[in-house]
């Protein structure tokens, strides 16, 4: 199977660690020109050391000005973005009654508006060349809500609806839009969830992690690499007839089609 990613320009947001980094590494290994962004320069530098030639840019995707500067910088370097991987750390956990308006507003900027703004800025280049890939990293919570992740469960559904709608609007220009929905994956995010559940229940982090793994048919929590490889496939020519899809990568945990 030929992925045909050599020479394609890829922007992976929040690409300095976790699923974002695994995705960026996958594209780099396939010969793509990779740019990543993140909020921590230290993490960006560590990621860049693993990907010679990778462009790293400090940016907060929840900030509109940062998004504009980010896309402008990548365009200046490469002449356009062929593949956009929309990724960001999820909003904090919390029960509904614990969340104020400010929490909702911050989560909307991070999870929904970052995707909207980034995509709006990369679409003109993709339309001109009649080729593009937009891949959103979401969560299996859009299939089966995760307890206490009220903000994530709610707002990621908005991203999913937006992605399906956009896919229909741009398919005629050979721009494909898909969403990857990871289940429990070994990242900083899962550590946050485990710590939150530990504090709420009094159980140890190890006990909760074991219980989590027991609910997954393959018997373990996923690896970031396993999510990244799906995101790389969706950006490739091998996935040229797939659009408007939400692909769950959760080891079989969600019990539905």
């Amino acid at each position: 199977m030929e992925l045909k990613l050599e020479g394609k320009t890829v922007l992976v947001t929040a690409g300095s660690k976790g699923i974002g980094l695994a995705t960026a590494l996958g594209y780099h290994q396939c010969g793509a020109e990779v740019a990543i962004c993140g909020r921590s320069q230290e993490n960006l530098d560590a990621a860049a050391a693993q990907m010679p030639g990778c462009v790293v840019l400090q940016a907060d995707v929840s900030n509109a000005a940062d998004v504009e500067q980010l896309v402008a910088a990548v365009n200046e370097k490469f002449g356009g973005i062929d593949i956009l991987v929309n990724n960001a750390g999820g909003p904090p956990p919390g029960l509904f009654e614990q969340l104020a308006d400010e929490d909702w507003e911050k989560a909307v900027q991070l999870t929904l508006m970052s995707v909207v703004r980034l995509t709006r800025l990369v679409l003109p280049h993709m339309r001109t060349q009649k080729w593009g890939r937009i891949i959103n990293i979401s969560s299996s919570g859009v299939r089966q809500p995760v307890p206490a992740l009220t903000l994530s469960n709610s707002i990621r559904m908005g991203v999913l609806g937006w992605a399906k709608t956009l896919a229909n609007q741009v398919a005629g220009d050979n721009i494909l839009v898909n969403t990857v929905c990871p289940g429990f994956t070994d990242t900083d995010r899962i550590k946050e969830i485990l710590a939150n559940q530990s504090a709420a229940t009094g159980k140890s982090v190890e006990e909760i992690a074991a219980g989590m793994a027991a609910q997954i048919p393959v018997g373990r929590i996923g690896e970031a690499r396993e999510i990244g490889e799906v995101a790389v496939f969706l950006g490739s020519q091998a996935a040229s007839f797939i659009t408007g899809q939400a692909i769950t990568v959760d080891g079989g945990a969600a019990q539905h089609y």
Side-chain angles (χ1 to χ4, degrees), residues 1-237:
M1 181 172 64
E2 294 186 16
L3 298 183
K4 296 183 180 179
L5 287 166
E6 294 83 358
K8 297 292 186 185
T9 298
V10 184
L11 170 60
V12 182
T13 60
S16 64
K17 59 181 182 178
I19 291 171
L21 176 58
T23 301
L25 284 167
Y27 276 108
H28 184 266
Q29 290 162 4
C30 290
E33 301 284 357
V34 177
I36 63 171
C37 76
R39 287 179 289 186
S40 164
Q41 190 62 52
E42 182 180 357
N43 289 339
L44 286 168
D45 292 342
Q50 302 178 58
M51 296 178 284
C54 174
V55 173
V56 298
L57 298 155
Q58 196 168 19
D60 178 354
V61 295
S62 68
N63 182 287
D66 277 17
V67 167
E68 290 186 8
Q69 292 169 10
L70 169 66
V71 174
V74 179
N75 285 342
E76 183 177 356
K77 174 68 175 179
F78 295 115
I81 295 166
D82 304 315
I83 302 166
L84 170 65
V85 180
N86 284 311
N87 179 48
L95 300 176
F96 174 70
E97 292 174 314
Q98 299 171 330
L99 301 168
D101 284 1
E102 182 182 2
D103 299 313
W104 285 94
E105 289 163 3
K106 286 182 178 179
V108 166
Q109 293 299 319
L110 175 67
T111 305
L112 175 60
M113 290 309 300
S114 64
V115 170
V116 169
R117 291 172 179 136
L118 283 157
T119 303
R120 183 189 293 134
L121 291 169
V122 304
L123 271 179
H125 170 73
M126 293 180 179
R127 283 193 183 276
T128 296
Q129 67 178 7
K130 302 291 184 182
W131 197 99
R133 302 286 188 268
I134 297 165
I135 300 142
N136 311 300
I137 306 298
S138 184
S139 164
S140 62
V142 301
R143 300 290 198 193
Q144 185 168 302
V146 181
L149 293 191
T150 308
L151 294 171
S152 178
N153 294 337
S154 303
I155 298 167
R156 290 191 193 278
M157 287 295 293
V159 175
L160 199 60
W162 163 86
K164 183 64 174 177
T165 305
L166 179 66
N168 294 336
Q169 295 174 9
V170 300
D173 283 331
N174 194 28
I175 301 168
L176 309 182
V177 184
N178 290 292
T179 303
V180 180
C181 304
F184 292 126
T185 309
D186 187 12
T187 64
D188 287 349
R189 174 69 165 168
I190 198 67
K191 292 180 175 66
E192 179 186 17
I193 292 171
L194 290 171
N196 182 265
Q197 291 188 9
S198 176
T201 64
K203 297 180 180 178
S204 70
V205 166
E206 292 75 18
E207 188 178 0
I208 295 171
M212 213 175 259
Q215 297 174 38
I216 302 172
V218 300
R220 62 178 177 82
I221 291 172
E223 300 175 15
R225 170 192 57 79
E226 294 172 305
I227 313 304
E229 288 176 351
V230 176
V232 171
F233 168 73
L234 289 172
S236 75
Q237 191 59 29

